[in-house]
Amino acid sequence: MMLNLTPRRATVLALALTATIGLSACESADSSSPGTATGAGGAGGSVENAKVAFLMPDLASTRYELQDKPLFEAKMKQLCPTCTVIYQNADSDASKQQQQANSALAQGAKVLVIDPVDSAGVASTVQAAQSQGAKVIAYDRPSTKAKADFYVSFDNEKIGNLIAASLIDHLKKTNASGGILQINGSPTDAAAGLIKKGVHSAVDPGGFKLLAEYDTPNWQPAKAQEWTTGQITRFGKQIVGVVAANDGTGGGAIAAFKASGDAVPPVTGNDAELAAIQRIINGDQYNTISKPIKTVAEAAAQNAFTFLQGQTPKSEATVFDTPSQLFVPEVVTTENVKKVMFDSGITKASEACTGVYVAGCTKLGIK
């Protein structure tokens, strides 16, 4: 059927059709399609095919390549099968990490999960990401000069207190007489500063003289070993214990004592690296901290996915003015290494109980 319209009636009909089409388009834009983020405070855009950067600080600690990376990637794949994880390790180079972050943003990353090489220097990276609409999750180490959107970690100050208090209790039980060396982490790592604070909270009132203290550049075990060698020459048998902030620096201290031919005093650690667990089994290292990386890696992935959905993760604490999620770790010694590390499935006997460690495993009932 043909319509015989006057010019005036044709104009009115055209306007009506235009209004109808415009209204339909508005209604379509307001409808949330599957895979589209909604809610306040999100990274924005579609969750489907989204990119998340996972930027780790160094290779000195083996955990990042062997644990954090695969665990984070696996959880992200579970939460968002079509999402892409951009992984980079800065190998203790703050400038390199900044370049890696810029590259991730250029590739379209909507969330940066970053364990900063330099907790203060990462400020420019945090600000650059946020200015481009990306969210920043500080991971393991906080951002101190620029507020990240979220922080996920174990309670680092508590870690320092636990390893030091455990050592001091042991020294008192064994009637040790002498002083302690304190080996801290990197001076550019705010998490190391928190651990250091926690260590002092136990060492200062602990009743044992603090002979010397050292901040280890970039957590390098070789630097810790070199410094400890100098202290052995200086203090000799006065050293009855070493509070080391992580397993790498603790391993460096142990190596120094063995190289000098002196008996190895009780040495602490942190991270429960496989090598540290083996040293505890053999009696070379006194303690470490079990902080299941799976816990923080999966929490970081969940929080990243929450941001991608346009929502804000729930915080339980505030660290450096940043909403935070903190987990409490557990001290591991020969007394509980079987239960905490092996019975739980965190460490496999087939990996730890090899070569010279078989006898120690047998003695502790680790199979």
Side-chain angles (χ1 to χ4, degrees), residues 248-301:
T249 54
I254 291 168
F257 280 99
K258 289 194 169 188
S260 71
D262 290 289
V264 180
V267 178
T268 73
N270 161 36
D271 285 338
E273 293 182 353
L274 178 60
I277 297 302
Q278 291 176 320
R279 289 194 294 265
I280 288 174
I281 288 170
N282 247 24
D284 290 329
Q285 183 168 322
Y286 177 66
N287 72 23
T288 188
I289 286 283
S290 172
K291 29 182 217 186
I293 304 305
K294 183 180 173 104
T295 301
V296 288
E298 292 191 348

Side-chain angles (χ1 to χ4, degrees), residues 52 54 71-77 79 113 137 139 152 295-308:
V52 175
F54 193 61
L71 288 167
F72 180 85
E73 289 177 336
K75 187 63 177 179
M76 279 302 307
K77 186 172 182 62
L79 294 168
V113 180
I137 298 175
Y139 179 84
V152 179
T295 301
V296 288
E298 292 191 348
Q302 181 63 65
N303 292 325
F305 185 62
T306 298
F307 276 130
L308 288 176

Side-chain angles (χ1 to χ4, degrees), residues 163-172 176-183 199-200 202-214 227 231 235-244 257 265-268:
I163 58 176
S166 169
L167 176 70
I168 288 170
D169 287 345
H170 174 71
L171 294 177
K172 288 180 177 179
S177 178
I180 294 174
L181 298 180
Q182 181 172 331
I183 305 177
V199 168
H200 275 290
V203 168
D204 293 351
F208 292 88
K209 183 179 179 180
L210 180 58
L211 298 173
E213 182 175 358
Y214 178 64
W227 179 80
Q231 305 316 303
F235 296 109
K237 296 188 183 301
Q238 293 182 57
I239 305 169
V240 294
V242 179
V243 183
F257 280 99
V267 178
T268 73

Side-chain angles (χ1 to χ4, degrees), residues 41-178:
S46 173
V47 172
E48 188 174 359
N49 298 319
K51 295 179 181 179
V52 175
F54 193 61
L55 308 175
M56 296 296 98
D58 63 63
L59 296 169
S61 297
T62 60
R63 52 168 281 198
Y64 299 116
E65 301 290 317
L66 299 180
Q67 298 183 65
D68 298 74
K69 174 183 180 287
L71 288 167
F72 180 85
E73 289 177 336
K75 187 63 177 179
M76 279 302 307
K77 186 172 182 62
Q78 177 190 343
L79 294 168
C80 183
T82 63
C83 286
T84 299
V85 175
I86 302 170
Y87 175 74
Q88 295 287 343
N89 190 303
D91 196 14
S92 302
D93 187 331
S95 296
K96 183 176 180 180
Q97 188 170 63
Q98 185 175 22
Q99 293 169 5
Q100 291 171 342
N102 290 339
S103 174
L105 290 170
Q107 293 176 62
K110 296 301 181 184
V111 180
L112 299 187
V113 180
I114 184 166
D115 193 336
V117 174
D118 186 332
S119 293
V122 77
S124 58
T125 297
V126 173
Q127 292 164 346
Q130 292 171 338
S131 71
Q132 296 180 47
K135 297 295 184 181
V136 179
I137 298 175
Y139 179 84
D140 198 32
R141 306 174 183 178
S143 168
T144 59
K145 297 298 183 182
K147 180 180 175 181
D149 296 287
F150 207 73
Y151 174 48
V152 179
S153 180
F154 282 92
D155 187 334
N156 287 297
E157 189 171 335
K158 185 67 174 177
I159 286 172
N161 176 269
L162 286 172
I163 58 176
S166 169
L167 176 70
I168 288 170
D169 287 345
H170 174 71
L171 294 177
K172 288 180 177 179
K173 287 178 182 177
T174 56
N175 297 315
S177 178

Side-chain angles (χ1 to χ4, degrees), residues 300-356:
Q302 181 63 65
N303 292 325
F305 185 62
T306 298
F307 276 130
L308 288 176
Q309 292 175 299
Q311 300 168 6
T312 302
K314 293 181 180 179
S315 65
E316 304 163 350
T318 302
V319 179
F320 290 104
D321 199 33
T322 303
S324 305
Q325 185 177 16
L326 303 178
F327 299 94
V328 178
E330 186 173 3
V331 175
V332 178
T333 66
T334 53
E335 294 179 0
N336 66 352
V337 65
K338 178 180 181 295
K339 177 183 176 182
V340 176
M341 301 306 300
F342 294 93
D343 293 350
S344 65
I346 295 174
T347 304
K348 295 179 180 178
S350 60
E351 296 176 347
C353 302
T354 60
V356 297

